[in-house]
Amino acid sequence: MKRALPDLTVDQPAAGEKVTLVLHADGKQYDLPVLGGTHGPKVIDVRRLYAETGYLTYDPGFMSTANCDSALTFIDGERGILLHRGYAIEDLAAHADFLEVCYLLLYGKLPTQSELGDFGHVIGHHNMVHEQFRRFFEGFRRDAPPMAVMVGTVGALSAFYHDQIDITDTEARMVATHRLVAKMPTICAMAFQYSRGQPFLYPRNDLGYVPNFLRMAFGVPVEEYVVNPVLERAINRFLVLHADHEQNASTSTVRIAGSSRANPYACVAAGIAALWGPDHGGANEAVVNMLEEIGSKDRIPLYIKRAKDRSDPFRLTGFGHRVYKNYDPRAAILRESCHEVLGELGKKDEPLFELALELERIALDDDYFVQRKLFPNVDFYSGIMLRAIGFPTTMFPPLFALARTIGWIAQWKEMIEAPDQHIARPRQRYTGHPIRPYVPLAER
Ligand code: ACO
């Protein structure tokens, strides 16, 4: 059955029509062009503002700043809508294989059967890592967080390909994107196996992207690993739901790093670092820790009270989002996945899930959360599902990084290929000491 598409039409400037915003400053008037996109808010083009007026715009945290043109992902945060290349996330999560979504983000269209087969073949033939690469892992303490291992080892990929990257070459750029998508499951699984003292497994090309990853993560060389189709579907969904998300902190980091023409492997390592924090990709780990700390339903009111208290640093992790002021569509899908996975594993009464459902119910009934439009975000339920599948909390951010690699690298490619690409160089409002004379050391 076909879903009705939401009406996202906005009041756009007509082709050729010049819409301007008038700015009065220092007795003069300046006309700032206003540009429309396909959907979403119009933007004021301030690129000439400083040259023409001597004023900068001021926007810490990029609350009102569009940093680029992008044709990859659209979010309507007020209405809880997320589209990749025009396709709704609900449809992609229900029907698409992760590699289909990778293809869609990279090439701009859904693949045909044969295009998907060829793409899978190319990815399959880039999924091994150099034998020397394995030694990087041995340099880490065995209790190193897998995310720390990911930052280091993905960055180290640039040492293996530095002489093969000509980022001005279209083909070389595409090969780099394929390599990253292909090698990330191998590296992520190696980081996990290393943290458990288990041997690394080579990828197998008779398996699809997700089964291959599950085998490398959970398999052992001494016996066959049988992939559970329900868990495969859940991980596929997790990857699809995290594939890209517009200009978030880690994606912007990748774009900024790449704007200096740094190699893409180093840029993605920078993205992994930005993803790590508890306000971004570390949030699903923090949610599980928080639920464990709350411990039981009768303690929820205490934590709700703490979350609302400005003098208490505690926040309800997994709630709230810079862009979504409505239910994050990804959270709703992951809540369903939790039901499926827990049912399959005979853990229907998983106490952490029960606690999360109750916390959501109580928070969404509370004026504080309603007024601030704080809803569960993608991280609220994902950790519960990943933990049930067998991943420890320290693996949650690496799994997010595995999924987001396609978004990072597709955005990097889009940025490099943009006709007006410049090095990203924000300015500042200087609030330091006024100019003063240097005082020689002996006179201080
Ligand atoms: N619990 C309690 N109060 C909250 C929460 C929360 N989780 N999130 C926001 N608020 C409150 C703020 O205190 C603020 O209240 P005030 O108006 O009384 O000062 C108001 O809601 C607005 O919050 P901001 O921090 O201004 O919103 P911002 O857009 O800057 O922050 C963020 C978004 C960082 C995601 C925030 O909601 C948060 O910290 N959430 C918890 C961490 C989390 O889940 N991060 C994952 C995000 S999704 C992702 O990266 C994949």
Side-chain angles (χ1 to χ4, degrees):
M1 199 178 71
K2 282 228 180 287
R3 281 180 351 112
L5 297 177
D7 177 13
L8 294 174
T9 322
V10 287
D11 186 19
Q12 299 293 354
E17 183 193 353
K18 200 171 178 228
V19 182
T20 57
L21 200 82
V22 181
L23 176 79
H24 293 277
D26 304 329
K28 286 191 192 151
Q29 176 180 316
Y30 301 93
D31 291 345
L32 299 174
V34 174
L35 312 173
T38 313
H39 297 309
K42 290 181 272 229
V43 301
I44 304 165
D45 183 349
V46 295
R47 279 174 293 181
R48 302 279 315 146
L49 185 71
Y50 179 62
E52 288 176 11
T53 70
Y55 283 94
L56 295 172
T57 58
Y58 178 69
D59 187 19
F62 306 118
M63 311 291 283
S64 296
T65 295
N67 179 40
C68 59
D69 286 338
S70 182
L72 291 164
T73 293
F74 171 74
I75 305 171
D76 181 336
E78 293 296 329
R79 295 164 68 184
I81 292 170
L82 168 60
L83 311 177
H84 292 316
R85 300 280 194 187
Y87 295 102
I89 193 66
E90 290 84 352
D91 291 337
L92 295 172
H95 307 295
D97 183 82
F98 179 61
L99 278 192
E100 245 181 292
V101 175
C102 292
Y103 188 100
L104 175 68
L105 287 168
L106 268 185
Y107 296 93
K109 69 184 227 11
L110 285 170
T112 62
Q113 193 83 40
S114 85
E115 285 166 340
L116 184 60
D118 292 347
F119 185 58
H121 181 83
V122 169
I123 296 300
H125 285 76
H126 280 298
N127 59 14
M128 292 204 298
V129 290
H130 196 288
E131 279 300 297
Q132 257 187 344
F133 188 81
R134 301 160 77 91
R135 292 199 210 133
F136 277 95
F137 289 83
E138 289 154 25
F140 289 96
R141 273 169 57 137
R142 71 184 165 80
D143 58 352
M147 195 63 165
V149 175
M150 295 281 288
V151 178
T153 52
V154 173
L157 279 180
S158 47
F160 287 83
Y161 301 111
H162 67 101
D163 53 350
Q164 292 174 38
I165 310 166
D166 173 5
I167 60 166
T168 62
D169 179 71
T170 313
E171 184 56 25
R173 282 197 297 272
M174 200 49 109
V175 172
T177 67
H178 293 160
R179 278 205 183 110
L180 274 156
V181 171
K183 292 185 199 307
M184 200 57 93
T186 313
I187 296 172
C188 187
M190 287 168 92
F192 182 38
Q193 295 285 36
Y194 185 76
S195 71
R196 300 188 304 159
Q198 298 273 5
F200 298 146
L201 262 62
Y202 288 105
R204 262 185 34 192
N205 282 353
D206 58 330
L207 297 174
Y209 193 86
V210 172
N212 197 13
F213 169 65
L214 285 172
R215 181 186 155 275
M216 286 190 289
F218 292 111
V220 286
V222 289
E223 55 189 46
E224 200 55 36
Y225 178 77
V226 181
V227 180
N228 178 322
V230 176
L231 307 192
E232 176 187 341
R233 183 175 138 84
I235 292 293
N236 186 73
R237 263 191 179 178
F238 174 88
L239 298 183
V240 168
L241 292 176
H242 290 77
D244 190 45
H245 210 231
E246 212 225 51
Q247 306 309 319
N248 55 81
S250 58
T251 301
S252 298
T253 301
V254 171
R255 277 185 177 258
I256 289 177
S259 76
S260 74
R261 310 175 75 72
N263 81 69
Y265 306 99
C267 296
V268 168
I272 296 176
L275 183 72
W276 198 348
D279 283 353
H280 192 9
N284 53 1
E285 183 178 357
V287 168
V288 169
N289 293 338
M290 174 188 77
L291 291 172
E292 275 174 343
E293 188 187 321
I294 296 175
S296 59
K297 287 183 189 173
D298 58 310
R299 280 162 55 87
I300 292 176
L302 170 69
Y303 281 84
I304 293 273
K305 195 169 162 226
R306 285 188 59 193
K308 297 193 303 194
D309 180 355
R310 280 194 171 183
S311 63
D312 188 327
F314 177 79
R315 285 184 146 200
L316 220 48
T317 311
F319 261 75
H321 195 278
R322 170 61 60 79
V323 183
Y324 290 114
K325 302 302 168 197
N326 201 324
Y327 211 102
D328 180 339
R330 302 167 302 168
I333 299 168
L334 281 167
R335 194 179 49 194
E336 289 317 303
S337 279
C338 275
H339 281 295
E340 275 177 38
V341 165
L342 294 172
E344 170 69 12
L345 298 175
K347 298 179 182 173
K348 268 203 163 73
D349 303 327
E350 162 65 45
L352 230 50
F353 188 41
E354 305 253 297
L355 197 59
L357 290 170
E358 183 64 1
L359 186 57
E360 175 187 334
R361 193 190 64 73
I362 293 177
L364 295 188
D365 208 28
D366 188 302
D367 268 359
Y368 175 94
F369 293 90
V370 174
Q371 276 166 13
R372 287 169 181 74
K373 299 183 178 175
L374 300 170
F375 292 87
N377 61 46
V378 69
D379 298 306
F380 193 63
Y381 287 108
S382 65
I384 295 171
M385 185 191 87
L386 294 174
R387 203 170 82 139
I389 291 174
F391 289 108
T393 48
T394 52
M395 274 304 290
F396 298 174
L399 289 162
F400 194 156
L402 159 60
R404 184 56 57 85
T405 295
I406 179 59
W408 289 330
I409 198 66
Q411 298 259 2
W412 167 82
K413 196 170 152 301
E414 187 179 61
M415 184 266 307
I416 294 286
E417 291 170 3
D420 58 349
Q421 195 259 318
H422 293 284
I423 187 166
R425 176 59 171 88
R427 301 294 301 275
Q428 64 174 15
R429 180 166 74 108
Y430 176 66
T431 56
H433 204 286
I435 188 165
R436 49 182 160 170
Y438 176 78
V439 180
L441 188 57
E443 295 170 25
R444 270 175 252 156

